[in-house]
Amino acid sequence: MNKPSETHLLAERIKKNSAAQMFTDISSRGRYATDASIYQTIPVAVCVPTCADDVTVALQVAKELEIPILPRGGGTSQCGQTTGAALVIDNSKHFRKLLHVDPVEKIAIVEPGMVLDHLNAQLKQHQLWFPVDVSTAGQATIGGMAGNNSCGSRSIAYGNMVHNVAGIDAWLANGQLASFGLMEIAQGEALRLGQFVQQLARRYQSDIQTHWPKVLRRVAGYNLDIFHNQNEKPYTTDSKVNLAHLLVGSEGSLAYFKSLTLNLSPLPQHKTLGVVNFASFHKAMDSAQHIARLGPSAIELVDRTMLDLGRQNPEFRATIETALIDKNAPTPEAILLVEFSGENHQELIAKLKDLVTLMADLGLAGSVVEMTQAQMQKNLWEVRKAGLNIMMSLKGDGKPVSFIEDCAVPLEHLAEYTSALTDVFHKHGTRGTWYAHASVGTLHVRPILDMRKDGTHKMREIAQEAAQLVRKYKGAYSGEHGDGISRGEWIKWQFGENINQAFSQIKNAFDPDCLFNPGKIVNPPKMDEHHLMRFHPKYEVSPLKTALDWSAWNVQNNPMTEAVTAPGTGLDPASGFAKAVEMCNNNGHCRKFDAGTMCPSYRVTRDEQHVTRGRANTLRLALSNQLEGNHLASEAVKEALDLCVGCKGCKRECPTGVDMAKMKIEFLSHYKKEHGLSLRDRLIAYLPQYASFISKRPKLIALLNLRNKFPWLAKLTELLLGISAKRSLPIWQTETAWDSPYYKLGYEDFKIEALAMQRMVVLFADTFNGYFEPDNIDAAADVLEAAGYWVYIPRKEKGQYCCGRTLLSSGLVDEAKIQAKELLDHLSIYAKAGIDIVGLEPSCILSLRDEYLMMGLGEQAELVAKHSFTFEEFIVKEAAKVEFAQTPHVNKFQFKPTDQEILVHGHCHQKAFEVVSPVIEVLKIIPGANPKMIESSCCGMAGSFGYEVEHEKISMEMAELSLLPSIRNSPDAIIVADGTSCRHQIDDGTSRKALHVAKVLQMHLK
Ligand SMILES: Cc1cc2nc3c(=O)[nH]c(=O)nc-3n(C[C@H](O)[C@H](O)[C@H](O)COP(=O)(O)OP(=O)(O)OC[C@H]3O[C@@H](n4cnc5c(N)ncnc54)[C@H](O)[C@@H]3O)c2cc1C
Ligand code: SF4
Ligand code: SF4
């Protein structure tokens, strides 16, 4: 263990001589202590270099201080490769450029931190791709993929990393740079090291011949077989020796990659997919060997447990059902996704027919869903890629654990191997879910184990029995995910004493002082050493009384049936909050930039601190007393959660459902209790309470509205309150939604029983629309009335009802509960009578379906939640009913046609609840309308976030990622945005007025 003084010296010297960011505080180091494995080790320090020169400095200083070095990409390794007491260097933020592409030679040169998906996006214009299509393509970096010798779903066609890397320029342990490529042209240190390893290969040739697994998917140890290829697929097409292949799979333990030269492949022009449904798992496994003979580019397995789990997830259900022969029949025990790809579509369709015939010959006529449409195939592949994550969504301390996850066996033994291993699991009181690469005999399986109890013990026993099976079937123990900690000790078992010795000699030749990622591949620790575990037996959570109700997470599960115990019975001292936080398994899926929302702050900053994973890790460390200050309400946690805009993107898109928006509310409730509220906090939180007072005072309103007109006033409010002078503030109105005489008529004598029989709807006027944009409430009421509804707007004698959103966002949960209770008391009268409640502001109305259910508000909350809808959801729902067309009012529900372009920006909470499509659907009621979604993440305003002076810039950066440019590109379009803050952001960023969908409908009413 390094002394703190050494850590600081290291950081100081690197900072002084480079532009790298250095982190030495415990929370930053804690965020780099884990990867997607079960392990955790706090690093000495973390370095985020801006360029190659920074890395040179970091390596030099670390060497002088004898501090180990651990290169890191996305940190998605499953075996603990990126955990270690070292200087962790994160390439993924800056060190990620595409340096060169040669479309003719089909070569690309990249920096190690480049993410695979980003590379492929840039290669598409050349009709090329880098075909090692790992499931983590959106997060995995090329350096990390090479470090682990990663393999994709299509390895049967393209091979593993080692088959696709043509050269590596790397820093050696002595700080020198060396070029590793074809041995025949190697020079200097690369040649010297290559020749040394060649001698070893000669010396141990008979051992290699005897012990080396002869399968495509062998990624363990160093690639000593490059001189006498043992792989099913030759490493090079012309049998030449390439020394870069020695470094592939070295897990950061031999050299530090500076740039990688990659062989590219032509993008397949066409693909077809046959999804074979099996009523028996054994039959699926037995069929793989026959299907492989048809020459597919992939055969991927998904088993019943995963299909069922996926069907429970709203994001995946519809897609999974496209793969089923009959979605109303019992779920198949397994499906195989069989892909054919190539240049000629007709030939691929013919292959699909061959598959149908083959299955019929194997006794399974009518078992294949034929997919020729590209989008359907793509959707299904996305779900398959999310397979592991779907499985990890199991609540409770028993989790599917990765340690024999990717043993590879020859195809003819697959059925026997899987059933024997299933028996092993049963013997140890657990079971596993099977999925992935049936084409190459590498099936992923994770038995469910509780690492806080007997998990480590069972892990070893199962590993031993699995190893015997692998040996029996002449397979490879590590067939995809590398060695790291969980498989390091099995290298000797797999290759024998002599080859293990040779690996030590290779390590010694490259890295005599053992500074590069020590303990990986050579001299590994035991896989079950307690002190290396993230959840070791002494892991302890401090008691916590939570503000929200987290009991749904406070459960345990049965590893055999996966049934969970009743809410609140999981023995979490933090009332379920710790278990909710621990749902994050560090897979890194939140480090993404593709469609969807998660995680906007990471998309802008690329900081581990500002991604959902970093936040969940910080909370976990705080709750388990592993941070300085040792408690939840600490500054370290505040910093990590500061840029979380509460968009709920993670609630929907995190495969294990980590709901950071709610976690932030929980955190704020503790933090604000301890540290108090600022004046700005109060002004925002209590706005609904004082808004009514202001709205009745026109002179005060005139005065307040001056703030937007005079820059010096804006500056003054910035100085006094911390509200950015660059922002316009919402304009106070003298007429509010509750003043409109139109809606007051007759409601005082309202008798619910009488009205329940009629078409009635409650239009919940939220504070923002009600006071600042009452036109929107009018518009909604007009449209609802045109649709034949009698509209009632809830109001009180004094002030108005409020959902409590501003209080929740400020962490004032107790006060929010009072508001919520009052609102529920009122709304439940209508809900009980079967009357629906409609809201315009997504964050307000959807909190009735979300946060309210975690505030201990009982059955009233459940009832109201069932009857709460966004405006457009309600219209779409009602319009689908037969009676709708029969209403006497329906002739009023007619719209003028339009030919104007309409662009829709979905509010993040609409996206989180999958209620964006009703906006599009409702707009399509207007004749001629062809509304299009803007592919955007969060607008960045997020309630008060974007108004806060310290967040204004980053808020705008979030909007600039795609939302604002898309709007600027369509100068004549009607922009639809249902969120108040989204409309303000669009106005501030483009000077365009976005409209609530209700307003657009009203404008087009005949
Ligand atoms: C849900 C899930 C699905 C997965 N699916 C697949 C899959 O389909 N196929 C597959 O093969 N793997 C898979 N993995 C494992 C993992 O995603 C891959 O191994 C991935 O390629 C790792 O990339 P990374 O950038 O996260 O690397 P990291 O985990 O950051 O690093 C991996 C190794 O490379 C080393 N390294 C990183 N950069 C350098 C450098 N510049 N120089 C030298 N060494 C370096 C590191 O030290 C480490 O040993 C999966 C993991 C998860 C969580
Ligand atoms: S927060 Fe979710 S998506 Fe991100 S690493 Fe954790 S589990 Fe994965
Ligand atoms: S709520 Fe949004 S910003 Fe916060 S962690 Fe989740 S995705 Fe990221």
Side-chain angles (χ1 to χ4, degrees), residues 597-601 611-612 615 643-650 660-661:
T597 305
M598 176 170 74
C599 174
S601 48
V611 70
T612 322
R615 293 181 179 124
L643 300 190
C644 168
V645 290
C647 67
K648 303 190 184 177
C650 45
M660 193 52 66

Side-chain angles (χ1 to χ4, degrees), residues 137-448:
Q139 299 78 43
T141 60
I142 300 296
M145 288 170 63
N148 282 351
N149 191 7
S150 295
C151 331
S153 296
R154 293 170 179 87
S155 60
I156 189 174
Y158 298 99
N160 313 336
M161 264 322 257
V162 68
H163 300 99
N164 292 278
V165 170
I168 297 181
D169 283 0
W171 287 279
L172 300 174
N174 60 12
Q176 273 185 31
L177 266 172
S179 271
F180 292 83
L182 285 180
M183 187 157 181
E184 62 187 26
I185 52 165
Q187 292 176 352
E189 277 297 273
L191 181 62
R192 187 187 68 76
L193 288 162
Q195 286 170 337
F196 174 78
V197 181
Q198 192 174 30
Q199 277 173 24
L200 286 177
R202 277 199 202 110
R203 192 179 320 151
Y204 296 111
Q205 194 174 345
S206 76
D207 286 280
I208 294 173
Q209 206 68 43
T210 319
H211 292 293
W212 209 271
K214 311 284 186 288
V215 289
L216 177 82
R217 294 298 204 99
R218 186 279 315 156
V219 300
Y222 297 129
N223 295 326
L224 187 52
D225 64 332
I226 59 168
F227 302 97
H228 305 282
N229 195 310
Q230 304 295 308
N231 197 284
E232 273 176 41
K233 187 180 171 81
Y235 292 145
T236 51
T237 47
D238 50 11
S239 306
K240 290 182 177 168
V241 173
N242 189 318
L243 295 177
H245 296 164
L246 270 181
L247 298 183
V248 175
S250 62
E251 302 188 352
S253 68
L254 293 184
Y256 196 117
F257 311 154
K258 179 171 183 261
S259 64
L260 299 100
T261 304
L262 309 173
N263 288 324
L264 309 176
S265 296
L267 258 182
Q269 294 304 306
H270 300 284
K271 288 176 186 169
T272 55
L273 185 66
V275 187
V276 192
N277 288 220
F278 292 90
S280 140
F281 182 81
H282 190 273
K283 183 78 179 168
M285 294 299 85
D286 195 41
S287 303
Q289 54 186 315
H290 307 292
I291 297 173
R293 290 190 200 116
L294 297 177
S297 46
I299 310 173
E300 294 282 300
L301 164 77
V302 182
D303 82 352
R304 184 185 50 76
T305 310
M306 191 167 288
L307 289 170
D308 281 340
L309 278 172
R311 287 175 92 178
Q312 286 161 25
N313 182 324
E315 201 184 344
F316 302 129
R317 186 186 310 118
T319 303
I320 289 185
E321 291 183 349
T322 62
L324 305 182
I325 293 282
D326 178 0
K327 67 177 183 190
N328 297 315
T331 311
E333 283 302 308
I335 58 172
L336 288 179
L337 276 64
V338 185
E339 183 192 79
F340 301 99
S341 54
E343 302 307 302
N344 185 322
H345 200 218
Q346 287 315 314
E347 275 174 21
L348 302 178
I349 290 179
K351 291 243 183 194
L352 212 48
K353 298 293 170 209
D354 292 346
L355 175 68
V356 173
T357 312
L358 172 72
M359 294 323 297
D361 292 348
L362 293 172
L364 292 175
S367 62
V368 184
V369 176
E370 296 171 59
M371 279 190 196
T372 48
Q373 211 208 354
Q375 190 58 45
M376 271 174 91
Q377 295 178 37
K378 186 167 177 279
N379 293 346
L380 200 56
W381 279 114
E382 288 304 320
V383 176
R384 153 55 202 100
K385 284 204 305 192
L388 170 62
N389 294 328
I390 292 173
M391 214 170 66
M392 295 302 287
S393 56
L394 185 65
K395 287 178 183 157
D397 289 348
K399 298 281 184 215
V401 178
S402 167
F403 60 103
I404 44 159
E405 153 108 347
D406 53 341
C407 302
V409 296
L411 279 192
E412 62 271 26
H413 302 305
L414 203 54
E416 271 177 75
Y417 166 74
T418 48
S419 74
L421 196 53
T422 300
D423 290 345
V424 172
F425 295 156
H426 288 180
K427 192 172 115 191
H428 293 282
T430 184
R431 62 189 284 268
T433 292
W434 296 90
Y435 69 103
H437 321 300
S439 55
V440 285
T442 305
L443 289 182
H444 292 337
V445 65
R446 296 183 162 199
I448 297 168

Side-chain angles (χ1 to χ4, degrees), residues 859-873:
E859 284 175 12
Q860 233 182 15
E862 306 265 345
L863 176 74
V864 170
K866 283 197 190 96
H867 284 278
S868 300
F869 299 95
T870 62
F871 164 79
E872 55 278 0
E873 243 189 317

